[in-house]
Amino acid sequence: MRGYGERRNGAVSGSGGLLKRIGLARVYNPSMLPTLRPGDRLVLKYGSRVRPGAVVVVRHPLQHDLLIVKRAVERRAGGWWVIGDNPQVRNDSREFGPVPDDLMVARAWVRLRPPRGPQRSLRPVLLWALSAVRPLVAPPSAARSVARLRAR
C-alpha cells in the first residue's frame, strides 16, 4: 500500500479542516482479499476513531516506513489486534502482535476500484460504475469473529 501525499507526521491539526484529514492510498498486495484487491484505491480519514471491524492503515510495527492495510479486530493490551481478510497471508498481528495506537495512521472509508482496461460497450461500463465505489463497513461476521477470538 502506498499513500498519495502521505503526511509526514500522524498528528491531525485541529485548525486544519476536513481536507487535511482526508487522503488517498493504493492497495498493492492481496492481504485483504476479497474485500480489497491490488490496484484498489482507498479514501482515508486521518485521526478517525478505530472501531472493531474497521479497515485501517497502520505502520508496520517492525518496519515503520511500511504502511499496511488490515482490519481492526479488537483492542488489547498494547494496542489493536489487526488481521487481513485473506487467511493465506499472515503479515498481521498473528505475526507481530498488537499494533500500538501511535502506529495507527488512518481509517479507510471508501474503496475505489479502477476499471479493468477499455470497455467497448455500455453494459460493462455501467456494471463497473455500480461496483467501483463501496463504503468500507464492518462485515456482519466481524462481531462474531471478535466474540470467537475472546472465547478462546
Side-chain angles (χ1 to χ4, degrees), residues 30-34 84-90 92 94:
S31 71
M32 287 295 291
L33 283 172
D85 288 357
N86 183 348
Q88 305 301 320
V89 180
R90 292 187 59 94
D92 55 27
R94 295 171 291 180

Side-chain angles (χ1 to χ4, degrees), residues 51-108:
R51 295 187 175 119
V55 175
V56 294
V57 175
V58 303
R59 291 197 183 282
H60 194 289
L62 306 175
Q63 189 179 350
H64 290 217
D65 62 337
L66 178 64
L67 296 176
I68 57 175
V69 179
K70 301 295 173 195
R71 189 171 301 279
V73 176
E74 69 179 352
R75 191 87 173 89
R76 293 188 178 182
W80 280 92
W81 193 260
V82 297
I83 60 171
D85 288 357
N86 183 348
Q88 305 301 320
V89 180
R90 292 187 59 94
N91 186 20
D92 55 27
S93 287
R94 295 171 291 180
E95 182 179 294
F96 49 71
V99 177
D101 288 331
D102 60 337
L103 297 181
M104 304 298 282
V105 175
R107 190 174 88 199

Side-chain angles (χ1 to χ4, degrees), residues 12-145:
V12 176
S13 168
S15 63
L18 183 62
L19 289 181
K20 287 192 176 185
R21 296 183 216 172
I22 302 293
L24 290 175
R26 181 183 290 181
V27 176
Y28 280 91
N29 68 43
S31 71
M32 287 295 291
L33 283 172
T35 307
L36 302 173
R37 297 191 303 224
D40 286 351
R41 274 73 169 184
L42 301 175
V43 176
L44 307 175
K45 183 173 182 192
Y46 297 98
S48 186
R49 184 173 174 207
V50 178
R51 295 187 175 119
V55 175
V56 294
V57 175
V58 303
R59 291 197 183 282
H60 194 289
L62 306 175
Q63 189 179 350
H64 290 217
D65 62 337
L66 178 64
L67 296 176
I68 57 175
V69 179
K70 301 295 173 195
R71 189 171 301 279
V73 176
E74 69 179 352
R75 191 87 173 89
R76 293 188 178 182
W80 280 92
W81 193 260
V82 297
I83 60 171
D85 288 357
N86 183 348
Q88 305 301 320
V89 180
R90 292 187 59 94
N91 186 20
D92 55 27
S93 287
R94 295 171 291 180
E95 182 179 294
F96 49 71
V99 177
D101 288 331
D102 60 337
L103 297 181
M104 304 298 282
V105 175
R107 190 174 88 199
W109 272 11
V110 176
R111 179 213 70 206
L112 306 171
R113 186 152 286 159
R116 292 185 180 184
Q119 301 297 326
R120 296 177 191 252
S121 67
L122 185 59
R123 186 172 187 272
V125 172
L126 291 175
L127 290 174
W128 167 80
L130 290 173
S131 68
V133 178
R134 291 268 188 225
L136 290 169
V137 295
S141 62
R144 289 191 299 271
S145 296

